[in-house]
Amino acid sequence: KADCKPGPPKSARAPQVGGQTPGDVWKQDFEFLSRCHKDTVYLDSAATTHKPTAVVNALTRFYTQDYATVHRAVYSLSLRATDMHHAVREKVRSYINAAHNDEIIFTRGATESINMVASCFGRAFIHPEDEIVVTEIEHHSNLVPWQMLCKERGAHLRICRVTDKGELDLAHL
């Protein structure tokens, strides 16, 4: 059984629509959250994000029925996996309104993506004395790549403060 803590007082809860809050409806897509106390809020998602049940089911179906190399073979299972890969890329392209499928890059997660941007973009466009700005509340996975890039390229890392209201304090840049 999941470890569930009591939620906020009723006065602090989101407005209800049809007897359910938007969060209640959203949580139904997540096995962990739908089994747990309805007021659970899961915030530890930097590297361990819970997956919607539909994603878990799709991954299970792929690994048990369609798993094969993509773009590297000509047998039917591989061709089917390749077709599925292209179909997902098209769905993502359409969802985010990208112009072309080749603009979509799949990575294992946010950390790998940030590292890729810092490495690829940074080496192409960051020059000595350029400035890279991050906030003081960045997770280390969005800080270390920029620190390393600044050291490599001779750029400067600027840290932007965040006010008590959660707004960027641009006056101190």
Side-chain angles (χ1 to χ4, degrees):
K1 181 173 168 147
D3 179 27
C4 300
K5 304 289 184 215
K10 287 187 180 192
S11 62
R13 292 186 181 152
Q16 298 216 348
V17 178
Q20 291 186 315
T21 67
D24 292 335
V25 174
W26 178 79
K27 287 179 184 182
Q28 292 171 11
D29 290 338
F30 295 82
E31 178 72 21
F32 167 77
L33 296 172
S34 65
R35 285 186 300 110
C36 199
H37 191 278
K38 69 186 278 182
D39 291 327
T40 295
V41 177
Y42 185 83
L43 300 175
D44 188 17
S45 61
T48 312
T49 302
H50 281 267
K51 311 313 184 258
T53 302
V55 170
V56 172
N57 292 342
L59 285 168
T60 300
R61 192 171 43 256
F62 178 76
Y63 283 126
T64 59
Q65 299 174 20
D66 299 305
Y67 189 64
T69 57
V70 173
H71 294 132
R72 297 182 187 217
V74 292
Y75 57 94
S76 62
L77 189 57
S78 176
L79 294 174
R80 188 167 67 227
T82 299
D83 289 344
M84 293 171 73
H85 177 83
H86 288 295
V88 168
R89 186 180 300 274
E90 172 55 28
K91 282 184 180 182
V92 171
R93 186 213 58 78
S94 176
Y95 182 74
I96 66 171
N97 200 28
H100 306 284
N101 284 349
D102 60 0
E103 295 176 3
I104 309 305
I105 299 171
F106 295 120
T107 66
R108 290 175 293 222
T111 300
E112 182 181 21
S113 299
I114 292 166
N115 288 333
M116 189 179 291
V117 169
S119 177
C120 298
F121 173 84
R123 288 192 178 122
F125 296 102
I126 300 299
H127 304 287
E129 304 305 318
D130 282 351
E131 294 183 344
I132 296 173
V133 179
V134 297
T135 69
E136 66 184 353
I137 59 172
E138 297 299 329
H139 187 274
H140 73 276
S141 64
N142 192 32
L143 182 60
V144 173
W146 303 115
Q147 289 173 321
M148 292 171 55
L149 180 63
C150 285
K151 183 176 181 180
E152 176 187 322
R153 306 297 291 178
H156 303 283
L157 188 65
R158 305 276 311 269
I159 309 294
C160 184
R161 294 180 189 171
V162 177
T163 69
D164 291 340
K165 292 181 179 180
E167 298 170 345
L168 299 179
D169 184 359
L170 300 177
H172 287 95
L173 280 177

